[in-house]
Amino acid sequence: MATFVDRVVVHAAGGDGGHGCASIHREKFKPLAGPDGGNGGNGGSVILRVDPQVTTLLEFHHLPHRHAPSGSQGMGDHRQGAIGQDLVLGVPDGTVVKDPDGNVLADLVGVGAEYVAAPGGRGGLGNAALASQRRKAPGFALLGEPGESQDVVLELKTIADVALVGYPSAGKSSLVAAISAARPKIADYPFTTLVPNLGVVQAGSARYTVADVPGLIPGASEGKGLGLEFLRHIERCAVLVHVLDCATLEPDRDPVSDLDVIEAELAQYAGDLGIEGGRVPLQERPRLVVLNKIDVPEARELAELVRPELEARGLAVFEVSTASHEGLRPLTFALAERVEKARREAPIPENTRVVLRPKAVDDLGFTVTRREQGGEVWFAVRGEKPERWVRQTDFANDEAVGYLADRLARLGVEERLFKAGAVAGDEVRIGPDSNSVVFDWEPTLMTGSELLGGPRGTDVRLEDSSRPTRGEKRQEYKERMDAKAAARAELWTEREAGHWADPED
């Protein structure tokens, strides 16, 4: 079973908003008490927040589906629905949030940093909130909005000060165990380290963390071995340490060639992804070289042989032995010095600026587009307000549909349809193509709220109330008189035929 997970896919869903309530207050001696329906509660949101107690994404690996609680429905007597609580998910420091296409949505660094992965739906208004001077007792309420759903990819980039890189079995895990209290798995075969190991080192008054990155091999930046999977853990490290094996038995390897191979892989990885780690580019960060396993006589001779060449490149070289702990103390203090310098030179984090982006003067908040496909023509209406109003409308209630028509007319949707070339009977779709509300547009439909004089729950605008013309009235009167004359003629015919005679006579 996996004990370290640094990449997961989370299916987050916000809670649905509660429906508003349509209720009329009923109390003795108060026949006209008015509407008292309460609003529905807002749904909870799914929030990702950095928690210092969380170090891995293992919990999301086992439970990837997360749904926030929904808000409850409003009730009569002005009782508001309960608000759904936000679902706060703790993530490790250094978690990067991406969408399924790989676009970065948030970089969560620092305790308390958070990102709303799936906002909850807004609760619907009750009829008490919808009452006005012209609509004193609405017989409808608004529906709650459904919560948003989103699939997010979480990638953990370890927050460490020093990264140990090198070939498999170079002694990186042994070095972490020798200079810190960490006890990673150590064995004499390649790829013993399958997950990054972290250790805390105390050097005098300085304290820093060291990350042991699983072994790199040629082609790691292209996906070979385990390198590509864990190379992202060095992106935030301030100092890179090359751990070179001076006691290797492979004939085609030596410390200098190993260093060149690892540097080439790091350059390829940084060049492909454009990683700069937030401070300095990966290729410009301080580097140290550790010639390991000098407790072996042949390894000590090889270390003394290659040290001048490495120092000629401007690299600080340390000969150490994790078995005898020789040379570890100077190494820890040298790392502490470079880490402290990097911390001093790091820019002071600034508070997030609040950026105000006012809307343009001619921005109505929606668009009307004429579309044609397969000989079919329709007009698509897209915008935050129209789509939200459609989701909140109960289409089984005629009065609610009339209220939606009022809102769309005040927003200017009908005028934009005229400008787009829409005529009576054209098909109009509000919302996305996959889930839109379709209706035939009738521009002559009156949308004034002053016409809402009928019984509650009805809308006279949806009834056929056209006035007949004078010719239609004359035709109707003539047909009615002809029908009466035909009835009288039929009765007279029956009378002459004796159908009305008394059978006893």
Side-chain angles (χ1 to χ4, degrees), residues 158-441:
T158 305
I159 301 294
D161 299 306
V162 179
L164 305 181
V165 296
Y167 266 77
S169 299
K172 299 183 296 298
S173 299
S174 300
L175 182 58
V176 172
I179 63 179
S180 70
R183 292 296 175 264
K185 181 180 179 181
I186 300 173
D188 58 351
Y189 55 85
F191 297 109
T192 306
T193 303
L194 299 178
V195 298
N197 298 306
L198 291 179
V200 179
V201 181
Q202 185 75 37
S205 60
R207 174 177 293 185
Y208 54 92
T209 57
V210 178
D212 167 22
V213 181
L216 303 179
I217 60 175
S221 60
E222 301 175 357
K224 295 183 180 179
L226 300 176
L228 181 61
E229 184 177 356
F230 297 107
L231 268 174
R232 58 176 169 268
H233 290 278
I234 69 173
E235 295 177 15
R236 306 184 190 277
C237 297
V239 181
L240 302 181
V241 177
H242 287 276
V243 181
L244 305 180
D245 186 3
C246 293
T248 179
L249 299 178
E250 298 182 21
D252 55 344
R253 283 182 50 195
D254 62 82
V256 177
S257 62
D258 290 355
L259 176 64
D260 295 337
V261 170
I262 300 302
E263 282 290 342
E265 294 301 324
L266 293 178
Q268 181 68 26
Y269 177 73
D272 287 346
L273 302 183
I275 297 167
E276 295 187 359
R279 287 180 291 188
V280 294
L282 189 62
Q283 294 299 107
E284 300 178 8
R285 298 182 193 176
R287 282 166 165 71
L288 279 78
V289 174
V290 172
L291 301 176
N292 196 15
K293 304 180 182 180
I294 62 172
D295 53 292
V296 180
E298 293 81 1
R300 185 183 294 272
E301 294 178 1
L302 181 59
E304 295 177 354
L305 180 63
V306 301
R307 179 167 185 163
E309 182 177 352
L310 297 176
E311 290 178 344
R313 300 185 181 185
L315 299 173
V317 181
F318 295 87
E319 301 178 10
V320 302
S321 171
T322 57
S324 62
H325 288 202
E326 179 182 352
L328 294 183
R329 183 175 176 83
L331 173 63
T332 57
F333 278 91
L335 291 175
E337 179 182 355
R338 287 163 173 78
V339 170
E340 291 292 335
K341 180 181 178 181
R343 291 174 179 174
R344 290 193 303 268
E345 296 177 353
I348 300 176
E350 299 180 356
N351 296 331
T352 303
R353 296 183 178 180
V354 178
V355 180
L356 301 178
R357 295 184 175 88
K359 295 183 179 180
V361 177
D362 56 348
D363 185 9
L364 299 177
F366 68 94
T367 59
V368 177
T369 308
R370 184 181 185 275
R371 296 184 181 180
E372 183 176 357
Q373 183 177 4
E376 182 182 2
V377 179
W378 72 91
F379 293 85
V381 180
R382 298 300 308 272
E384 179 184 357
K385 288 185 177 181
E387 295 179 22
R388 185 177 75 244
W389 294 345
V390 166
R391 291 193 299 266
Q392 292 179 329
T393 300
D394 180 11
F395 288 93
N397 188 310
D398 292 342
E399 191 177 355
V401 176
Y403 179 70
L404 173 63
D406 286 344
R407 304 177 84 180
L408 294 177
R410 287 195 299 267
L411 188 62
V413 174
E414 185 169 332
E415 296 180 3
R416 297 301 295 268
L417 286 172
F418 273 119
K419 293 181 180 180
V423 296
D426 283 347
E427 183 178 306
V428 177
R429 302 180 184 180
I430 301 179
D433 296 337
S434 59
N435 184 23
S436 60
V437 175
V438 183
F439 61 93
D440 294 334
W441 185 50

